[in-house]
Amino acid sequence: MRDLVELFSLGGFVLPILILAAILALAIVGNRFWVLRRARVVPQGLVERVADMVEAGKLPQVVKQLYENDTPLARILLVALQQVGQPRDAIKEAVEDAGRHEMAHLDRYLNFLGSIAGVAPLLGLLGTVFGIMHAFAAIGAVGMGDPKALAGGIAEALITTAAGLIVAIPSLLFYRYFRGRVEVLVLATEKDVLKLVNLLAGGKS
């Protein structure tokens, strides 16, 4: 514990900022892992059940089931059902508009995570600059004869550089992963929704 406190003090004012950034990044990663599960976005078999009930003329039951499901796919399917009797282009346009809103929810916080990945190395570099400045200030005060006088500045430079990279690298990896995850889920959603659009428009499902 004492070593951690000493390490924290050697990191200068930049290290607490990087620690805060790391905490925020961890919170976003945990949240996105929970939200971007396939079962929470594109429940398996939902569109097939909805299509069967629509073909059986059970629209009230379909609406009730979609309200209870409360997933992005269910909300988009509900919008499609509200356009029953409209031309295919009208149904598709309404569905695409609903899809854009749901896409925004899936993308939530990802831009901030990407910003952390981009800013953390710069904060580390800033800490490095201040550490070197402190080292040169120590040289100016006591000369080169006392290595201990330089240790504080050098430690600050190294600690903040390492901390910036430690925060940035995982943040960037998770940012890329979640971006890819969102794209996969969006494609799966579009595929399922299109089946119902074709059915409602009188085409093949």
Side-chain angles (χ1 to χ4, degrees):
M1 185 68 181
R2 184 178 178 182
D3 291 339
L4 289 176
V5 173
E6 185 178 352
L7 186 66
F8 189 84
S9 64
L10 288 173
F13 77 94
V14 174
L15 187 58
I17 299 174
L18 287 170
I19 292 174
L20 177 60
I23 293 171
L24 292 174
L26 283 173
I28 293 171
V29 168
N31 175 270
R32 291 299 91 184
F33 266 123
W34 175 257
V35 171
L36 297 178
R37 292 177 297 153
R38 190 178 184 89
R40 284 182 58 89
V41 180
V42 191
Q44 187 174 5
L46 177 63
V47 72
E48 286 77 11
R49 294 195 300 273
V50 168
D52 290 342
M53 296 173 75
V54 168
E55 289 180 328
K58 301 178 180 179
L59 289 182
Q61 292 92 326
V62 173
V63 172
K64 182 175 181 295
Q65 182 173 349
L66 291 177
Y67 269 117
E68 291 174 349
N69 191 274
D70 193 30
T71 60
L73 176 60
R75 289 190 288 269
I76 297 173
L77 293 177
L78 192 58
V79 170
L81 285 175
Q82 292 170 350
Q83 306 299 317
V84 172
Q86 297 295 322
R88 186 180 188 280
D89 289 344
I91 299 175
K92 190 175 180 182
E93 183 177 350
V95 164
E96 288 175 349
D97 185 56
R100 283 191 290 269
H101 284 85
E102 296 298 335
M103 175 71 174
H105 288 296
L106 297 181
D107 267 342
R108 193 177 184 185
Y109 304 130
L110 290 187
N111 284 337
F112 190 62
L113 182 62
S115 297
I116 291 175
V119 170
L122 298 179
L123 287 172
L125 179 61
L126 179 63
T128 302
V129 171
F130 278 109
I132 294 173
M133 288 171 60
H134 292 156
F136 276 111
I139 292 174
V142 300
M144 295 291 292
D146 187 3
K148 291 183 179 179
L150 305 178
I154 295 173
E156 180 179 351
L158 295 177
I159 290 169
T160 53
T161 300
L165 294 175
I166 289 170
V167 173
I169 293 172
S171 297
L172 180 59
L173 290 175
F174 280 117
Y175 171 77
R176 295 294 186 186
Y177 169 77
F178 288 129
R179 279 293 185 194
R181 183 68 176 163
V182 168
E183 290 179 6
V184 169
L185 292 173
V186 168
L187 289 174
T189 302
E190 290 177 351
K191 181 180 177 181
D192 280 355
V193 171
L194 189 58
K195 295 177 183 178
L196 185 63
V197 170
N198 289 335
L199 176 61
L200 295 176
K204 297 180 179 180
S205 59

